[in-house]
Amino acid sequence: MATIKASSYEILIDEDYAKLNAYVESLSPSNIIIIVDENTEVHCLPKIKKHLHQDFLSIKIPAGEKYKSISTCQGLWETLIKYNCDRQSLIINLGGGVIGDMGGFVAGTYMRGIRFIQMPTTLLSQVDASVGGKLAIDLSSYKNIVGLFLEPSMVWVDTSFIQTLTELELRSGYAEVIKHALIRSKALWQRINSRKLDYSSEEWSTLITDNIAIKNFVVQQDFKEGGLRKVLNFGHTIGHSIESHFLNSTSPLTHGEAIAAGMICESYISHEQNLISESELSTITSYIRSLYPINVRLSTISTELIRIMGHDKKNVSGQILFSLIEGIGDSTYDVHVDDDIIIKALEYYDNITS
Ligand code: GLY
């Protein structure tokens, strides 16, 4: 059980729902709307229903990244109007990154902004998406391209929800755990390196708390991503382009699988820039590959991937800028990398997987 203070709100990692009830009561909301998808409606909503004393209405949206769209938002805004939501209403986003990002975006724009609580239910959203106030939806194949920075009223993390996840979903979130270790904590790297996802529930709870603390520390220094926060994008410049490319294919990758491939490529670039040693590159590559043995060829689609990277939100004046690691446990940002090095990184990935 832990409480982590963000600037204007608290992140409670807890299962004592009396604390949640006390907080919700203190907000005196005119009504409460819980946004769920078909998974959280079955696996998580019953627990909330049992413990939350206040009445609420729920809205169900379809699960999946392809529904993180303006048309789903329109349906949500229209339902809020139908439910007579006003400026004192409270939205609770009960779900993974899609629900948190989109539910927060809808709350942040409805009537110019109403209060919302993030209740992340996946490992990915618990260790990353729900912390830091990034809210967004996708447009065409561009991920998170329309959105805003806005803090929630509270983040409530019930780590028992991750017991309801599939192995695929757990692995997807775990890529962000690896990222946090690589960019910020050698101690965390030493704890996780060579481990499979065989943590006990107590270990998961501690791991999630430690990762939230890392994420929150970085966000507290730089909420709007003018500088340091960019390090959280390690693995994501190439990873997002891979994820976007395969989004509408017959075999889309999970976010974590794409970011895992992205972290291998960007570790290679870090090595090319003399920021990590050959042996560090090799240790990182083999650990990530052992958990994410996905088979995709990247060098054959390098032109398309580089085109997508050209739209990365970290870019300035059309230059693709990378966040890279400096040794294991430290990182840097705004590194311009030429296309030929990016292509070599994609080839490196293909060679280790062939
Ligand atoms: N997921 C990266 C960030 O929140 O900045």
Side-chain angles (χ1 to χ4, degrees):
M1 308 303 106
T3 301
I4 296 177
K5 289 199 182 311
S7 47
S8 69
Y9 66 99
E10 288 186 337
I11 304 155
L12 269 77
I13 300 122
D14 219 311
E15 281 184 68
D16 176 2
Y17 277 77
K19 290 183 197 160
L20 179 71
N21 278 308
Y23 180 72
V24 171
E25 266 162 39
S26 76
L27 296 178
S28 307
S30 49
N31 62 352
I32 301 174
I33 309 296
I34 304 189
I35 303 179
V36 293
D37 62 23
E38 59 260 35
N39 299 320
T40 57
E41 182 183 47
V42 174
H43 298 298
C44 309
L45 192 59
K47 186 166 184 184
I48 305 302
K49 211 175 243 169
K50 183 165 159 213
H51 292 288
L52 190 66
H53 295 157
Q54 291 85 355
D55 290 336
F56 63 85
L57 293 165
S58 61
I59 309 179
K60 182 163 67 166
I61 58 169
E65 184 75 28
K66 69 175 171 189
Y67 298 104
K68 198 170 141 185
S69 63
I70 195 71
S71 65
T72 312
C73 289
Q74 183 168 351
L76 286 166
W77 286 312
E78 283 168 356
T79 311
L80 296 183
I81 295 169
K82 192 172 90 192
Y83 288 167
N84 292 320
C85 290
D86 59 26
R87 284 226 165 110
Q88 297 309 313
S89 297
L90 173 69
I91 292 186
I92 296 179
N93 296 314
L94 181 65
V98 171
I99 288 199
D101 285 9
M102 183 165 50
F105 176 71
V106 164
T109 47
Y110 181 74
M111 292 193 171
R112 299 197 179 88
I114 62 172
R115 296 166 300 180
F116 63 100
I117 291 178
Q118 299 294 44
M119 236 182 238
T121 57
T122 60
L123 182 60
L124 178 61
S125 57
Q126 294 194 346
V127 297
D128 184 14
S130 70
V131 176
K134 276 189 177 176
L135 311 170
I137 55 169
D138 304 335
L139 197 65
S140 323
S141 62
Y142 300 109
K143 268 182 67 73
N144 300 328
I145 197 85
V146 178
L148 63 153
F149 287 98
L150 184 69
E151 297 190 318
S153 300
M154 172 206 242
V155 181
W156 177 262
V157 182
D158 181 338
T159 58
S160 73
F161 286 148
I162 71 156
Q163 308 303 334
T164 67
L165 301 177
T166 62
E167 164 88 16
L168 193 71
E169 287 167 315
L170 260 193
R171 273 194 299 123
S172 183
Y174 197 72
E176 303 294 346
V177 172
I178 298 173
K179 178 195 78 181
H180 285 152
L182 290 174
I183 61 166
R184 193 83 214 156
S185 172
K186 194 162 193 164
L188 179 60
W189 172 256
Q190 278 157 353
R191 227 161 94 204
I192 63 170
N193 184 18
S194 80
R195 273 200 76 163
K196 300 281 173 203
L197 304 189
D198 52 359
Y199 299 98
S200 66
S201 27
E202 283 88 321
E203 284 176 315
W204 273 122
S205 211
T206 313
L207 197 63
I208 290 166
T209 305
D210 293 349
N211 274 272
I212 291 176
I214 291 174
K215 168 95 195 248
N216 186 52
F217 174 82
V218 174
V219 171
Q220 291 312 296
Q221 317 300 309
D222 175 27
F223 179 55
K224 290 236 169 146
E225 201 168 291
L228 179 71
R229 184 167 180 168
K230 293 178 193 174
V231 300
L232 295 170
N233 289 296
F234 171 66
H236 285 60
T237 308
I238 294 180
H240 266 163
S241 74
I242 298 169
E243 188 179 9
S244 297
H245 177 82
F246 289 102
L247 194 61
N248 295 315
S249 75
T250 45
S251 47
L253 299 176
T254 65
H255 177 73
E257 286 171 330
I259 297 314
M263 285 193 289
I264 290 177
C265 296
E266 295 183 22
S267 295
Y268 174 87
I269 296 174
S270 304
H271 174 56
E272 276 286 310
Q273 303 278 324
N274 295 318
L275 296 169
I276 62 169
S277 67
E278 180 103 44
S279 89
E280 286 170 323
L281 173 63
S282 141
T283 312
I284 294 166
T285 301
S286 48
Y287 179 53
I288 295 179
R289 269 308 284 175
S290 72
L291 289 173
Y292 302 89
I294 46 162
N295 279 319
V296 284
R297 308 294 297 164
L298 301 181
S299 57
T300 47
I301 50 169
S302 60
T303 310
E304 168 65 359
L305 295 181
I306 290 171
R307 186 190 68 73
I308 300 172
M309 285 174 225
H311 294 278
D312 191 278
K313 289 185 283 308
K314 295 187 307 308
N315 296 348
V316 178
S317 308
Q319 282 208 326
I320 302 175
L321 298 177
F322 280 82
S323 301
L324 298 174
I325 46 173
E326 267 192 307
I328 291 178
D330 209 349
S331 43
T332 184
Y333 55 89
D334 281 349
V335 183
H336 171 65
V337 176
D338 289 329
D339 286 4
D340 59 323
I341 306 287
I342 301 176
I343 292 167
K344 275 173 82 178
L346 302 175
E347 285 167 355
Y348 171 76
Y349 185 84
D350 286 354
N351 286 338
I352 53 147
T353 60
S354 58

